């Protein structure tokens, strides 16, 4: 059942928005009958011939086996990864060189984010019409004001936006508002107009498509015990948003650079979440380039590494987690390395201990700590389907303040292969939760571990130092990530939150974050797509090709060994990319 071709586009609307139903993601590989037979969903929504979203009654968090349909079946929650930098990366040079004259013309930059303030001068043509080709607002509040996509939200096309701009009350005509401002800022950095001498985006003549994500359902946030105030977005909605961008690019017949400034600490940190595998599927599409951010998790002590030990038949390591006061709760994941088998014991701050939790078989348990008043749900997946590794999921509900200790034991012949553990991204936590002895490496957020994206770390272009919170690579199995490093500190862009900034003149501000580095890199990718696809110099450009072109042009800092866990292959420089091509001709 493909809802793009289904006559009843409203079929899934009730289930998409209802808190009584949870969204599940399945990799079904063109065998949909198997999902009907084993899962019995209320409704299905196709992404492509490999992935679909199924809607079913919400599970009880204390019910046995939350992940009984597979770890990846439950969507991950993604959060925001929040001076013109055009000259820093050489974009102003390739704009002026007569043989290049690149500005992103006839290329789309697509965003899946918090929306866009379409009234801003940064997104208007000279005649005051819009440069935005479409907006898909996924929120329930806009239903009925535009055609639905995948059974929910509303889509507004270029004509709708232009009609709104002619109105005295544009948001009554197109009621899509960027309440947060994150999406507007990223769009301005990647694709904002050249406005006087003070501001320009990297690709100021590109077209823009925006998917405004709806907030994740409360039942999904409650499952992961995510801070109520945190901006949290479901993996299912993000994947459908990317699908929409691809469909719109095909409709318009134009190449597209996809910019994703969202991230999650869930998953094996080796590129095996559903979203990462989806990017891997589309990486070789001609005229498509996907860019993601590395994340802002360095310095928040959210990763622990249990090291490999050679010639050891048994290993036990005590992993300490500090929990601050007044914490609602948090989740945590431990990932082993096959064929090693982990078992755990859990020790509370007052010394109450439960042992022999998790083993060679799939199982779940609920532990109630009497003195702490804390309930801990633990689920063991002996062999997670995509990675082949063991995964142990923890859900600490109302944890008491203090140090919780997880004793991790591994028994394997010859080599104790070690393990990794991650807490959620820091914005999802209600208070100070951290590992006492944390490991700063291997902190790239999903989907930044995907092979099918260009992953951008961030640096301070004023002093050439790494951005203090920029997540580090490599992946858990040692693949090189990040790929490139781009400006991410004190970057100038459009400030907009809510609909209070209607008018031709925009306010501007400065922000930090690797999502900004992704926007800068996405703008650079759009310039390459214009050169290769639009101007016919290389119509076969795709994500891996553009990645290698940017790597060849990357500038290196002195005394840094490349590739680097912090810097990837070096600093983004689009001019040097063309210089490298000229030298090889």
């Amino acid at each position: 059942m493909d809802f793009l071709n289904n006559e009843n586009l409203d079929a899934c609307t009730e289930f998409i928005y209802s808190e009584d139903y949870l969204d599940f993601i399945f990799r079904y590989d063109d065998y949909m009958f198997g999902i009907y037979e084993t899962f019995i969903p209320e409704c299905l929504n196709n992404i492509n011939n490999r992935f679909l979203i199924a809607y079913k009654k919400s599970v009880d968090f204390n019910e046995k086996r939350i992940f009984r349909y597979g770890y990846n079946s439950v969507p991950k929650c993604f959060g925001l990864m929040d001076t013109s930098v055009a000259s820093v990366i050489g974009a102003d040079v390739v704009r002026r060189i007569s043989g290049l004259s690149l500005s992103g013309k006839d290329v789309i930059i697509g965003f899946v984010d918090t929306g866009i303030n379409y009234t801003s001068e940064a997104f208007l043509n000279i005649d005051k019409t819009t440069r935005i080709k479409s907006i898909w607002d996924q929120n329930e509040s806009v239903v009925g004001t535009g055609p639905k996509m995948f059974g929910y939200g509303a889509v507004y096309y270029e004509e709708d936006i232009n009609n709104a701009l002619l109105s005295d009350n544009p948001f009554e005509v197109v009621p899509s508002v960027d309440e947060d401002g994150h999406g507007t800022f990223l769009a301005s950095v990647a694709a904002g107009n050249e406005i006087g001498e003070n501001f320009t985006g990297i690709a100021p003549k590109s077209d823009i498509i925006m998917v405004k994500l709806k907030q994740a359902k409360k039942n999904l946030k409650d499952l992961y015990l995510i801070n109520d105030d945190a901006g949290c977005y479901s993996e299912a909605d993000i994947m459908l948003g990317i699908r929409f961008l691809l469909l719109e690019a095909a409709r318009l017949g134009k190449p597209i650079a996809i910019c994703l400034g969202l991230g999650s600490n869930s998953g094996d940190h080796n590129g095996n979440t559903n979203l990462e595998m989806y990017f891997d599927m589309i990486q070789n599409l001609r005229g498509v380039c996907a860019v993601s951010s590395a994340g802002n998790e360095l310095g928040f002590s959210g990763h622990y590494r249990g090291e490999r030990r050679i010639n050891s038949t048994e290993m036990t390591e005590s992993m300490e987690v500090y929990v601050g006061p007044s914490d609602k709760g948090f989740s945590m994941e431990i990932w082993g390395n096959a064929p090693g088998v982990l078992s755990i014991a859990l020790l509370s701050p007052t010394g109450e201990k439960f042992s022999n939790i998790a083993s060679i078989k799939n199982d779940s348990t609920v532990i109630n700590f009497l003195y702490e008043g804390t309930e801990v749900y633990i689920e063991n997946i002996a062999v997670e389907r995509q990675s082949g590794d063991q995964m142990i999921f923890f859900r600490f509900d109302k944890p008491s303040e203090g140090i919780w200790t997880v004793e991790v034991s591994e028994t394997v012949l010859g080599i104790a292969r070690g393990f990794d553990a991650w807490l959620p991204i820091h914005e999802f936590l209600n208070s100070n939760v951290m590992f006492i002895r944390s490991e700063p490496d291997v902190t790239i957020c999903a989907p930044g571990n995907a092979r099918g994206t260009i992953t951008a770390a961030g640096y301070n272009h004023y002093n050439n130092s790494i951005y203090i919170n920029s997540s580090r690579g490599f992946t858990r199995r040692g693949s090189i990530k990040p790929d490139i490093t781009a400006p991410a500190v004190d970057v100038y862009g459009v400030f907009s939150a809510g609909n209070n900034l209607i008018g031709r003149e925009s306010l501007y501000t400065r922000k930090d974050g690797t999502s900004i580095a992704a926007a800068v890199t996405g703008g650079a990718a759009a310039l390459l797509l214009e050169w290769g696809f639009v101007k016919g110099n290389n119509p076969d450009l795709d994500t891996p090709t553009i990645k290698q072109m940017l790597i060849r042009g990357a500038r290196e800092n002195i005394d840094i060994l490349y590739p680097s866990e912090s810097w990837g292959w070096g600093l983004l420089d689009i001019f040097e990319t063309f210089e490298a091509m000229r030298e090889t001709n």
Side-chain angles (χ1 to χ4, degrees), residues 199-211:
F199 179 78
T200 180
I202 304 301
K205 292 187 178 179
S206 60
D207 298 325
I208 300 167
I209 299 176
M210 175 63 71
V211 175

Side-chain angles (χ1 to χ4, degrees), residues 24-53:
F24 292 85
I25 304 174
F26 288 104
R27 178 175 171 177
Y28 73 107
D29 291 328
D30 224 5
Y31 182 61
M32 191 177 296
F33 180 75
I35 300 299
Y36 274 113
E37 190 175 48
T38 59
F39 187 69
I40 315 177
E42 301 291 341
C43 190
L44 294 179
N45 214 339
N46 272 16
I47 296 174
N48 59 12
N49 64 354
R50 177 165 291 185
F51 293 103
L52 59 78
I53 300 169

Side-chain angles (χ1 to χ4, degrees), residues 264-451:
S264 175
N265 257 353
S266 295
D268 69 345
H269 287 69
N270 204 45
N272 286 311
T273 66
N274 283 322
L275 179 58
E276 289 170 321
M277 290 189 291
Y278 185 34
F279 274 124
D280 290 348
M281 282 188 64
I282 67 174
Q283 66 176 314
N284 296 120
L285 294 178
R286 293 172 61 249
V288 175
C289 182
V291 178
S292 62
S293 60
N296 306 324
E297 292 305 300
L298 185 65
F300 292 99
S301 301
H303 171 228
Y304 184 96
R305 166 151 282 191
E307 295 294 341
R308 293 163 57 99
R309 301 182 187 184
I310 300 175
N311 297 325
S312 174
T313 57
E314 186 171 352
M315 178 274 292
T316 298
E317 188 162 335
S318 293
M319 180 176 69
E320 296 175 313
V321 183
Y322 169 74
V323 179
S326 303
D327 199 280
K328 168 185 175 182
F330 63 95
S331 62
M332 181 177 72
E333 296 178 7
I334 296 178
W335 288 81
N337 294 295
V341 177
L342 304 178
S343 62
I344 62 171
L346 185 58
L347 185 69
S348 75
T350 62
E352 190 173 1
K353 185 175 182 180
F354 289 84
S355 301
N356 298 319
I357 308 167
S359 63
I360 194 63
K361 66 177 182 177
N362 294 339
D363 199 5
S364 65
T365 186
V366 177
I367 300 173
N368 288 287
F369 289 88
L370 180 62
Y371 289 172
E372 283 76 14
T374 300
E375 182 178 89
V376 182
Y377 172 91
I378 303 173
E379 181 165 342
N380 178 58
I381 300 177
V383 181
E384 195 277 319
R385 293 174 187 170
Q386 300 302 329
S387 65
D389 293 324
Q390 183 180 6
M391 194 281 293
I392 306 172
F393 174 82
F394 296 77
R395 186 177 182 274
F396 288 80
D397 193 359
K398 299 180 179 63
S400 63
E401 181 182 0
I403 295 176
W404 291 77
T405 303
V406 183
E407 293 181 356
V408 182
S409 299
E410 179 182 9
T411 303
V412 67
L413 182 63
I415 299 175
R417 297 178 179 273
F419 65 93
D420 290 90
W422 286 274
L423 296 167
I425 61 173
H426 67 277
E427 290 186 356
F428 284 175
L429 296 170
N430 295 269
S431 70
N432 200 11
V433 181
M434 66 178 72
F435 292 114
I436 298 297
R437 292 181 291 113
S438 63
E439 166 60 51
D441 292 341
V442 199
T443 51
I444 300 286
C445 292
N449 295 294
R451 294 166 290 280

Side-chain angles (χ1 to χ4, degrees), residues 504-526:
R504 304 307 181 201
E505 294 186 4
S506 297
L507 297 179
Y508 294 85
T509 188
R510 295 182 183 274
K511 289 189 176 184
D512 305 340
T514 58
S515 60
I516 299 165
V520 173
T521 306

Side-chain angles (χ1 to χ4, degrees), residues 57 212 291 549 555:
K57 278 284 187 180
K212 178 184 175 181
V291 178
M549 293 170 73
R555 288 184 285 115

